Amino acid sequence: MEQIPTLIQDLALILAVAGLVTLVFKRLKQPLVLGYIVAGFIAGPHFSYTPSVQDTHSIEVWAQIGVIALLFTLGLEFSFKKIIKMGGAPVIAALTIIFCMIFLGSAVGHFFGWERMDSIYLGGMLAMSSTTIIYKAFQDSGVLQQRFAGLVLSVLILEDILAIVLMVVLSTLAVSHNIEGGEMLYALFRLLFFLVLWFVVGLYVLPLLLRKYKRFLNDETLLILSLALCFGMAVLAVYTGFSAAFGSFVVGSILAETIEAERIEHLVSPIKDLFGAIFFVSVGMLVDLNVLVEYTVPVIVIVLTIIFGQAIFGSLGFVMAGQPLKEAMKCGFSMSQIGEFAFIIASLGTSLGVTSSFLYPIVVAVSVITTFTTPYMLKLASPAYDAVYRLMPDKWKSMLEHITLGGFTVGHPSLWKALIMAMLRQMVVFTILSVSIITLSFRFFLPFLRSVLPHWWANAVCGVVTLLVLSPFLRSIMARGWRSHIFKALWKENRTNRLPLIFTIIVRSVLVCGLIFYVVRYLVPFADALLLLFAVLMVVAILLSRRLKINSIKMEKVFMENLRSRELHERQTGKKKPGYAESLLTRDLHIADFDLPAESIWGGRLLKELNLGNRYNVHIASIIRGSRRLNIPCGDDRLYPGDRIQVIGTDLQLDAFAKALQQTQIVETDDEETDDFGREMLLKQLVIRENSEFIGEKLKDSGLRNRYNCMIVGYETEAGVLEAPNPDRVFRAGDVVWVVGERNALRELMSRFI
């Protein structure tokens, strides 16, 4: 008899239990994540009434794959450009919430006398709200189109990226066991260095690769390529001292800027669902009821800490970000739970061996409880605001009610600020690329050359090749921006500006000179004065080289095209909201997208017939149909099934519009369902009788399509050959025709033929 490996038996058990439990949770309208955790508990070693998983080590390996897949898909939904465009408000809210909750969580752990690392990791777990759970709660409550929901989701995106940074910091703490400022700054600098390097190189190479081989990228090859990049980057991240999850997130965020991002996300989704389920099941397997009974008080205290901490500090963060108190409290109350990242941080602490065994099941129990309380906290926000508003001094009321996001909007930056920021970005990016090229050259290329060439020849070849490869990047450090319109405007604006402008060129030239000097000094033992002179001459040559200028401009153009490729694609397909959408937030209005269902009775009707503006007090800004966008549609424009409608209105107006749109779908009645037999399409052979009313009529004049909803597909000759129908052919007695139509229509037609 064939022996089945233990791993397959364990997977069969896990998936069977998970499937049954999640069906129950789906019916109860609860998050599937909780179902997976419950399934893990049932299949785990701490539940003795059912079979248990035998090879827990292999399941842990699969769970690690699940974390990599989860972070990869999270990266696909993430965009660095969106973070930059958000402005300061979401950043202020996210940082306020995270730092306050980390401090609060660490204080709770210290209060119970836990180890220092347990307290720090607990603070990190409590700082991250669950995007999945909040999104589901918004969806079930019907508030997804409201303004505060968009603000919360923006902050959650920031929390996700900051959670990656927090994981790197916690990993560093686990290794050093010390919280030293120098080591922490070095870890953050190293994180920034590799993040910029991988993002810039990846965004330059990957879109070119995807475009070049697009004709070969069917679903299968694109899936394999995406997973290769995901796990390859995970390995590279571990090799450079980061976590595998961080690497998969980075490559996902790079692919998020390509036009293939949505397609990749769709292809990877089943794999993410499978391995993600295994990860959450493995989380549930660690739940021990005996531990939870022993730590009942800490569980209750931590739950209350999250609920009250997020309600208070979350609301405070959004108020500091410029939101009115009512909106801020809705945002803060809705974030009072923990989820996916809490489990990932907990598993990180367990895998590094720096957290106690009791912490994991406590966090799982807290997550389960706070998930159930999230909808109630969402409903409690408005009554809590009413109570706070009644107790608040009038002076505070006046101040808070007039706070809007517009109050924190920074005006147009000065020309100097814009120029300095652009130069700093260029210097940082191209310096990192230059340092990376020098490091790779000296670490790999130089030893290889020394193994095949004499020592001095190897040094010379390495130096020449390294400087040639560096030269476009060095030119970008020096020359970028000094021909821009901002630079010229400042130069013409005032004579006193010219000396500082020249100074910016000198500073960048000195940086480039230093990089060149380092390369030649490492390879050639000449006098420093001669090497410095060589570096200065090379700086001049780089600035004067027209070929380098052209190559440098081409490289930057390709990079910018790659960076904007998805944005341009989304504009063409109508998936990107217009630029004025953010400005509407300051006026209690916002824009929302609605898809017209295929069964909607609005389909095919004119806008003036529907009269949506007067009925629901909303404005139809655009109708998106495939790759076409119809802006500011008039009353003579029609809506068609599948159209995406961009609507402007307040929260209440958009809610009313959404409910009305949902009610326009045609629901089949029992009579229509029972009539499916009569509407079945059939192919029938009919013979024209002598007394048929069709004799002597042409096919095109017979009205078969309009009167009987049937279609003749051919005439059968005496030889049994089927001829194509001729519209001008006249029906004659004895003609054998083949007709397609519904069963009921054919029955009526046959009565006319016979």
Side-chain angles (χ1 to χ4, degrees), residues 467-712:
L467 291 176
L468 286 175
V469 175
L470 280 176
S471 54
F473 305 106
L474 298 179
R475 190 189 185 285
S476 295
I477 294 175
M478 287 187 294
R480 177 66 175 171
W482 68 284
R483 290 183 179 272
S484 66
H485 68 280
I486 299 178
F487 191 97
K488 293 177 180 178
L490 288 169
W491 184 272
K492 294 178 181 179
E493 183 182 65
N494 196 326
R495 288 180 178 272
T496 58
N497 288 339
R498 296 182 180 182
L499 184 59
L501 290 172
I502 294 173
F503 181 73
T504 61
I505 298 175
I506 294 174
V507 169
R508 291 183 288 163
S509 299
V510 169
L511 174 61
V512 171
C513 190
L515 291 171
I516 297 173
F517 178 79
Y518 175 79
V519 173
V520 295
R521 183 70 179 80
Y522 187 87
L523 298 171
V524 182
F526 289 167
D528 289 349
L530 291 175
L531 297 178
L532 188 59
L533 177 62
F534 173 81
V536 172
L537 292 175
M538 188 167 179
V539 166
V540 175
I542 289 174
L543 283 174
L544 296 178
S545 174
R546 183 172 179 82
R547 181 165 185 157
L548 273 180
K549 177 182 177 181
I550 294 173
N551 290 337
S552 177
I553 293 174
K554 282 183 178 179
M555 290 175 59
E556 292 184 32
K557 184 179 179 182
V558 170
F559 179 81
M560 294 307 298
E561 287 177 352
N562 291 344
L563 185 63
R564 299 180 59 198
S565 59
R566 186 178 182 184
E567 182 179 354
L568 294 174
H569 179 71
E570 288 179 344
R571 283 182 180 176
Q572 293 173 356
T573 56
K575 295 178 181 178
K576 181 177 176 59
K577 288 188 177 180
Y580 63 82
E582 294 180 4
S583 301
L584 292 173
L585 292 176
T586 65
R587 295 162 177 82
D588 199 30
L589 295 172
H590 63 285
I591 189 168
D593 293 349
F594 298 92
D595 293 322
L596 191 65
E599 305 85 1
S600 175
I601 59 176
W602 288 359
R605 298 183 63 185
L606 298 173
L607 288 179
K608 63 184 179 183
E609 296 175 359
L610 296 172
N611 198 21
L612 301 176
N614 292 331
R615 292 169 63 188
Y616 306 107
N617 295 319
V618 296
H619 305 279
I620 308 297
S622 301
I623 298 174
I624 301 163
R625 189 171 297 142
S627 59
R628 293 182 55 202
R629 175 189 285 270
L630 179 61
N631 292 325
I632 318 298
C634 62
D636 293 326
D637 292 314
R638 294 183 184 272
L639 291 179
Y640 292 100
D643 282 353
R644 173 163 292 181
I645 315 168
Q646 292 190 332
V647 186
I648 298 174
T650 64
D651 287 341
L652 294 176
Q653 292 165 353
L654 292 174
D655 282 345
F657 181 83
K659 292 176 182 176
L661 179 61
Q662 189 68 26
Q663 293 170 359
T664 64
Q665 298 186 64
I666 301 172
V667 181
E668 290 189 350
T669 62
D670 294 338
D671 294 338
E672 290 172 332
E673 292 176 359
T674 55
D675 196 41
D676 283 346
F677 178 76
R679 302 199 62 184
E680 181 185 3
M681 292 286 287
L682 299 175
L683 175 66
K684 284 284 187 180
Q685 183 192 57
L686 302 179
V687 180
I688 304 295
R689 301 297 183 185
E690 293 181 355
N691 60 346
S692 174
E693 65 181 48
F694 291 100
I695 291 179
E697 287 191 13
K698 292 182 179 181
L699 174 58
K700 63 182 181 181
D701 299 327
S702 63
L704 282 175
R705 284 179 177 268
N706 299 332
R707 292 163 55 190
Y708 301 101
N709 198 29
C710 294
M711 177 178 65
I712 291 181

Side-chain angles (χ1 to χ4, degrees), residues 100-298:
C100 290
M101 292 305 298
I102 288 176
F103 175 78
L104 199 59
S106 300
V108 169
H110 181 73
F111 171 78
F112 285 113
W114 295 347
E115 297 291 334
R116 184 179 61 173
M117 294 305 293
D118 288 334
S119 301
I120 293 173
Y121 270 76
L122 177 64
M125 296 173 206
L126 302 194
M128 301 300 163
S129 299
S130 171
T131 305
T132 303
I133 295 170
I134 292 176
Y135 187 86
K136 181 71 166 57
F138 286 168
Q139 205 171 35
D140 293 342
S141 302
V143 298
L144 201 55
Q145 301 292 347
Q146 293 188 17
R147 185 178 66 173
F148 88 93
L151 295 172
V152 171
L153 294 175
S154 298
V155 171
L156 289 173
I157 293 173
L158 280 170
E159 284 194 354
D160 289 342
I161 182 61
L162 292 174
I164 302 295
V165 178
L166 182 61
M167 289 171 61
V168 174
V169 173
L170 292 175
S171 300
T172 305
L173 288 177
V175 174
S176 63
H177 295 283
N178 288 312
I179 308 178
E180 295 182 1
E183 290 186 4
M184 194 64 63
L185 288 175
Y186 172 73
L188 293 175
F189 173 78
R190 194 164 61 93
L191 170 67
L192 178 64
F193 180 90
F194 281 103
L195 191 62
V196 172
L197 174 64
W198 290 336
F199 185 76
V200 172
V201 174
L203 197 54
Y204 187 86
V205 175
L206 290 183
L208 291 177
L209 180 68
L210 293 175
R211 281 201 297 268
K212 184 176 181 180
Y213 296 102
K214 186 175 182 178
R215 64 183 186 276
F216 302 115
L217 292 177
N218 57 19
D219 288 351
E220 182 179 357
T221 54
L222 184 59
L223 174 62
I224 298 301
L225 178 62
S226 303
L227 292 178
L229 291 171
C230 171
F231 289 100
M233 193 65 183
V235 173
L236 180 61
V238 173
Y239 180 75
T240 51
F242 299 102
S243 66
F246 175 71
S248 62
F249 175 83
V250 169
V251 76
S253 64
I254 294 171
L255 290 172
E257 304 296 345
T258 67
I259 60 176
E260 301 290 345
E262 291 187 7
R263 187 178 166 202
I264 293 172
E265 187 177 353
H266 175 72
L267 293 173
V268 176
S269 182
I271 297 174
K272 180 261 295 183
D273 292 340
L274 172 63
F275 288 104
I278 295 175
F279 167 69
F280 290 117
V281 168
S282 69
V283 170
M285 289 169 57
L286 296 175
V287 175
D288 187 350
L289 291 180
N290 295 326
V291 174
L292 295 182
V293 170
E294 182 180 353
Y295 290 91
T296 301
V297 174

